[in-house]
Amino acid sequence: MNSDEAGPDEGQLTVAEKLEHLLTLRARLSEDGVPSYKTLAVEIAAQSGESFSGAYLWQLHRGERTNPTLRHLRALATYFGVPVSYFTDDEVARRMMDEDLLASRELDQSMAEAGVSAVYLRGDLTALSPEGKRMAADMIRQIRELEQNANKPSYPPQT
């Protein structure tokens, strides 16, 4: 069995799982919720100068290719704004996945509290980095507070 076919150790994250996380939370998806591998590959290649095909990206995402080169990992890491260690160190990947999840929950809660229900807005915000999601959540909270304070009289009521 060659290294491209070897299965992961128990509890070890696969490249496919790590890529799934990035595609789900950080990539622009088509209307059917699936990434355009060809478009992503073109964008990654243009940004990195590294040759990438949609088919290769699809194979990585599906787990059919499991041993990408360091050059490809660097290109993916740069495109998605993560360190290369995201792909090579499960502890780093898990920590980043947890951070993404917490930031997404915080943003969802802020939008729900503010009554934001526009699906297109939620979709655009899901592609933000964890820091971007936190900033968006803070902005939504601040706007809500400003509007609540604007509805209060600015002077004490006279008796």
Side-chain angles (χ1 to χ4, degrees):
M1 185 185 293
N2 70 33
S3 63
D4 212 38
E5 296 171 355
D9 293 335
E10 188 64 34
Q12 185 179 14
L13 293 170
T14 65
V15 171
E17 290 169 323
K18 294 172 183 178
L19 193 53
E20 170 69 16
H21 170 78
L22 294 174
L23 290 170
T24 300
L25 292 180
R26 298 188 180 184
R28 289 181 297 272
L29 304 178
S30 62
E31 289 181 17
D32 61 359
V34 177
S36 166
Y37 297 104
K38 182 178 180 180
T39 301
L40 283 171
V42 167
E43 290 173 358
I44 293 167
Q47 182 184 42
S48 68
E50 190 63 47
S51 65
F52 247 94
S53 72
Y56 181 67
L57 193 55
W58 180 84
Q59 289 172 333
L60 286 173
H61 186 210
R62 302 282 298 176
E64 293 180 13
R65 297 290 300 267
T66 59
N67 194 17
T69 65
L70 183 56
R71 290 187 340 257
H72 283 127
L73 292 179
R74 282 188 188 129
L76 287 167
T78 299
Y79 181 79
F80 287 109
V82 298
V84 174
S85 58
Y86 172 86
F87 291 103
T88 60
D89 184 335
D90 283 354
E91 186 176 319
V92 170
R94 283 191 174 93
R95 188 171 53 247
M96 292 186 76
M97 288 175 176
D98 289 345
E99 184 180 324
D100 275 342
L101 182 60
L102 289 172
S104 293
R105 286 180 181 164
E106 182 180 345
L107 180 58
D108 283 344
Q109 180 179 355
S110 292
M111 288 193 302
E113 288 171 358
V116 176
S117 61
V119 173
Y120 68 89
L121 180 58
R122 286 182 180 266
D124 286 344
L125 293 174
T126 60
L128 294 175
S129 69
E131 184 175 331
K133 289 174 185 170
R134 286 191 182 96
M135 289 189 315
D138 288 342
M139 288 183 351
I140 290 169
R141 277 191 217 100
Q142 289 174 358
I143 292 168
R144 190 176 64 244
E145 288 173 16
L146 287 171
E147 287 183 346
Q148 289 172 348
N149 290 335
N151 293 331
K152 294 179 183 176
S154 59
Y155 54 89
Q158 295 186 354
T159 56

